[in-house]
Amino acid sequence: MEDSRLQEQIEYYRARASEYEATALPKHADGAKGAMAREWENARRVVHALPNYAAILELACGTGVWTRLLAQHTEHLTALDAAPEMLELNRANVGDPRVNYECVNLFEWEPTQQYELVFMAFWLSHVPDARLGAFLSRVRRALKPNGQVFILDEPRGTKNVIPTIDNTQARTLDDGRTFNIVKEYYDPEELCERMTQIGFTFVEISRGDYFFWLRGGRKDK
Ligand SMILES: C[S@@+](CC[C@H](N)C(=O)[O-])C[C@H]1O[C@@H](n2cnc3c(N)ncnc32)[C@H](O)[C@@H]1O
């Protein structure tokens, strides 16, 4: 996967920031879309029910859909994203002094601190398979001993699949501009195996028709 595709992905989210929440969140109450919205709400309840942590790191925080919830579970939340427009909206939407924002390209990121919880929602599927191992190793290094990672995303076989060619999706914005971005629908079980090899332990995976989430611990080798 060339760096230019990863750069285009950042440009896409920078341009999409203002329309992100209107287009990304499932909000229909019935039919197939209703089932998706119910799974989404279920994931929100799971995040809402997380315990409190001394410090949380949120990767690819976007406009703050999950930042709002996470901020209720810690006094120190660090939220990273590569799109300044996303960070600006997040700050305006969440408005919480417990959150520190940093503009960071996660393909160049090296953790300089460790956290009790590292959280990412709808980010891992934008990490190309060839970079997955290195990325997850960095996530593991960002965890304190006995810390946990929480990953929420769309699994392989999701009912909401958007056509992909060579793990690339063409996405069009309201203004008609089209961007090609990475989309990898990872299989949660396979992910689990790969993460175990890197040094994670797994406590929980939940897979629905549209979304999956997993919580894994850091194994101390
Ligand atoms: C699908 S959105 C998810 C946002 C948020 N986590 C949510 O669930 O609403 C993907 C996010 O990844 C960010 N992003 C894209 N490329 C990135 C990169 N290389 N490094 C850091 N963030 C990136 C985008 O700006 C966007 O906010």
Side-chain angles (χ1 to χ4, degrees), residues 6-7 9-14 16-17 20-21 24-25 40 58-67 80-84 86-87 90 103-108 119-123 125-126 152 171 183:
L6 302 177
Q7 196 52 44
Q9 179 157 267
I10 296 174
E11 294 309 319
Y12 166 68
Y13 279 109
R14 293 190 66 179
R16 188 184 173 198
Y20 180 76
E21 289 201 18
L25 308 189
W40 175 274
E58 184 185 9
L59 303 179
C61 61
T63 56
V65 175
W66 305 94
T67 316
L80 310 183
D81 202 286
M86 287 287 188
L87 291 167
N90 191 313
C103 191
V104 168
N105 181 343
L106 288 172
F107 295 111
E108 293 167 2
F119 179 96
M120 66 195 91
F122 304 101
W123 163 248
S125 54
H126 294 311
L152 170 64
R171 299 270 188 98
K183 190 71 182 181

Side-chain angles (χ1 to χ4, degrees), residues 3 14 23 35 37 43 49 57-58 88 100 107 158 182 185 198 210:
D3 286 354
R14 293 190 66 179
T23 51
L57 176 66
E58 184 185 9
E88 201 175 305
N100 282 309
F107 295 111
T158 173
V182 178
Y185 292 101
I198 292 170
Y210 299 91

